[in-house]
Amino acid sequence: MPAPRRTLTGAAALGTLTALVTLTAGTASAARAPAGTAGHASRTAGRPAASGIVYAAQTQTLSANGTSRVSVTCPGGALPVGGGTAIQDPRTEQVLQAGFYASAPGHMAGYQADVRVHGLRRGSQVKAAVQVACIPAPATVTYAARSQTLSANGTRLPSATCPAGELPVGGGTAIQDPRTEQVLQAGFRSGAPGSVVGYQASVRVHGLRRGNKVKAAVQVACAPAPHPPVYGPLA
């Protein structure tokens, strides 16, 4: 009999965001990934590249309908600066939100995604994967998050901006209610032409009853800016 899937509340998802903290990789504590759903999971960690960035990934097998959380933790106390997600079958899987998670207040540990499975036939399985890019010690990363209250149907663009003198290197999103909210896309946000200042998401609200409100949040990870920063072509 397939293991039951855990439904994640909006409060739990939004609770993973940290308002504005500066962490040094040497003092960050490594953490166990949040409890997810039962299934086969494997974790692979890449060797440090010439840039000093370590990449890790976690793949989880899902065998029942419902919402699951897939997480990957940075090794050895390193700090997460970016992440990604992958699903096996978009007909039955949907990434609801993805972003950095904290092992304790003020201690970012890795990257996680909430994946919803629907319409899966009995006995079938699908896979979901989460990636993370981590900077080992010594390094300083600033995490900023901005939460926005949405009170009407339509599409909004919540964003989080890096402090002065820092540049965005990664980001994430969180929504309160996947029944009425959908993250259409997310990525870096430009300020003036030729500059990047933060992270932004496009969130669609639909089916919201009159007088109701929902929240959406965006995270950004920032690093000290080189002088001057170098940009490739910006969309």
Side-chain angles (χ1 to χ4, degrees), residues 150-155 177-182 204-214:
L150 311 176
S151 58
N153 293 318
T155 302
D177 187 354
R179 298 170 299 178
T180 59
E181 295 175 277
Q182 180 182 5
R204 183 174 65 185
V205 178
H206 54 92
L208 188 67
R209 294 182 179 180
R210 184 182 299 273
N212 287 0
K213 297 179 180 180
V214 289

Side-chain angles (χ1 to χ4, degrees), residues 104-184:
H107 290 269
M108 290 294 182
Y111 205 77
Q112 67 184 9
D114 292 353
V115 180
R116 181 169 62 189
V117 177
H118 55 91
L120 188 67
R121 294 182 179 181
R122 185 181 296 274
S124 297
Q125 295 180 332
V126 288
K127 291 183 179 181
V130 177
Q131 303 166 315
V132 67
C134 312
I135 296 181
T140 299
V141 181
T142 300
Y143 300 93
R146 182 168 179 260
S147 180
Q148 184 172 334
T149 300
L150 311 176
S151 58
N153 293 318
T155 302
R156 304 290 188 273
L157 296 171
S159 62
T161 302
C162 287
E166 299 189 21
L167 291 175
V169 290
T173 61
I175 55 175
Q176 182 179 2
D177 187 354
R179 298 170 299 178
T180 59
E181 295 175 277
Q182 180 182 5
V183 178
L184 301 178

Side-chain angles (χ1 to χ4, degrees), residues 62-83:
L62 311 176
S63 57
N65 293 317
T67 301
S68 300
R69 176 162 291 176
V70 184
S71 307
V72 59
T73 303
C74 286
L79 288 177
V81 293

